[in-house]
Amino acid sequence: MEKNLDRYIRDHSTPEDKVLEDLYRQTNLYVVNPNMVSGHIQGKLLEMLSHMIHPSVIVEIGTYTGYSAICLSRGLKTGGKLHTIEINDELREMSSRYFDLAGVSDKVILHTGRAQDVVPALNFIFDLVFIDGDKREYCEYYNLVFEKVRKGGFIIADNVLWGGKIENEDAMNDPQTRGVINFNELIRNDSRVEKILLALRDGLMIIRKK
Ligand SMILES: C[S@@+](CC[C@H](N)C(=O)[O-])C[C@H]1O[C@@H](n2cnc3c(N)ncnc32)[C@H](O)[C@@H]1O
């Protein structure tokens, strides 16, 4: 039943283009932990949100193979830039190749390193941040970017439902689950922002700085 619904959703959404389809396939064939890639429906939502926000500057934490970066970059203002940060230098060749194939390499700046080291060196205001790095570090990323996000700007965080494990008390023993739960509580109690938790894929938290 759910599979049919998934197909219905895909059939009534703009199809994945050839470059993203190929990137998704190559990621699944050749890269470790391919379940981390955004994929068609989440990618399309990120692209839509980016078009709505129409940002000049996007910062992404966790490039992986570049799928979400390509989607988000499509909503940038002319001359706008997406800074994407990836700690694993082995992924650089693949993501760069797909930025070229997708025709976005002139607006995507790939930083290889830890977000904790790179973000402090980005001396400009962010319109949109996508948090999709190590779940244990979500609170750290949020605190790191917050002052650099403009008033009215957005922070989107992926995997905030963490496969449903956030509901399981025992799961607090697992550092990644604890990271996601702590992040969700931090956002819930932060009166400086408005937020909506969307139950799409593994959960997307959309946060707007008041
Ligand atoms: C879930 S994947 C990102 C998926 C990608 N955003 C997408 O939607 O296709 C998470 C990535 O974050 C990277 N990462 C983990 N900790 C990081 C850190 N502190 N700084 C930068 N990247 C980090 C990992 O190496 C991994 O490639």
Side-chain angles (χ1 to χ4, degrees), residues 32 34 46 66 75 79 86 90 99 115-117 119 144 169 196 202:
V32 179
L46 292 174
E86 174 54 55
E90 290 176 8
F99 294 151
Q116 293 89 328
D117 298 325
V119 170
L144 194 65
E169 288 289 312
I196 172 80
D202 198 23

Side-chain angles (χ1 to χ4, degrees), residues 42 45 130 156-158 160 196-198 200 202-206:
Q42 177 164 308
L45 176 69
F130 184 47
I156 302 174
D158 196 12
V160 294
I196 172 80
L197 199 169
L198 276 190
L200 183 89
D202 198 23
L204 274 183
M205 185 77 85
I206 302 181

Side-chain angles (χ1 to χ4, degrees), residues 36-38 62-64 68 86-87 113 115-116 132-134 137 141:
M36 296 203 298
V37 68
S38 273
T63 316
Y64 190 49
S68 50
E86 174 54 55
I87 201 168
Q116 293 89 328
D132 197 14
D134 186 326
E137 298 177 344
Y141 302 149

Side-chain angles (χ1 to χ4, degrees), residues 66 69-71 73-74 76 82 95 98-109:
I70 293 171
C71 297
S73 72
R74 290 177 169 162
L76 280 166
L82 179 145
S95 54
Y98 277 91
F99 294 151
D100 278 343
L101 289 168
V104 300
S105 42
D106 58 328
K107 48 186 175 178
V108 174
I109 299 154

Side-chain angles (χ1 to χ4, degrees), residues 13-26:
S13 303
T14 305
E16 197 175 31
D17 62 60
K18 287 283 167 240
V19 175
L20 288 177
E21 195 182 300
D22 187 47
L23 172 54
Y24 187 81
R25 219 169 61 85
Q26 296 295 317

Side-chain angles (χ1 to χ4, degrees), residues 15-159:
E16 197 175 31
D17 62 60
K18 287 283 167 240
V19 175
L20 288 177
E21 195 182 300
D22 187 47
L23 172 54
Y24 187 81
R25 219 169 61 85
Q26 296 295 317
T27 302
N28 276 276
L29 283 173
Y30 300 115
V31 187
V32 179
N33 297 327
N35 60 320
M36 296 203 298
V37 68
S38 273
H40 176 200
I41 296 301
Q42 177 164 308
K44 190 47 81 180
L45 176 69
L46 292 174
E47 184 180 327
M48 287 281 192
L49 290 171
S50 183
H51 275 295
M52 289 178 204
I53 299 164
H54 204 39
S56 297
V57 176
I58 305 174
V59 173
E60 175 181 63
I61 299 177
T63 316
Y64 190 49
T65 54
Y67 196 108
S68 50
I70 293 171
C71 297
L72 288 165
S73 72
R74 290 177 169 162
L76 280 166
K77 278 202 173 99
T78 307
K81 300 284 180 216
L82 179 145
H83 292 259
T84 182
I85 311 166
E86 174 54 55
I87 201 168
N88 180 356
D89 60 0
E90 290 176 8
L91 295 165
R92 194 176 174 95
E93 188 279 324
M94 184 168 179
S95 54
S96 302
R97 184 155 40 90
Y98 277 91
F99 294 151
D100 278 343
L101 289 168
V104 300
S105 42
D106 58 328
K107 48 186 175 178
V108 174
I109 299 154
L110 174 59
H111 302 263
T112 302
R114 289 176 79 235
Q116 293 89 328
D117 298 325
V118 175
V119 170
L122 301 178
N123 290 317
F124 33 77
I125 298 298
F126 311 159
D127 301 302
L128 169 61
V129 175
F130 184 47
I131 294 180
D132 197 14
D134 186 326
K135 309 310 151 199
R136 291 167 290 202
E137 298 177 344
Y138 266 33
C139 292
E140 208 181 327
Y141 302 149
Y142 182 73
N143 292 325
L144 194 65
V145 299
F146 194 84
E147 288 308 322
K148 296 185 180 221
V149 174
R150 71 165 161 82
K151 278 197 181 132
F154 290 84
I155 300 172
I156 302 174
D158 196 12
N159 307 107

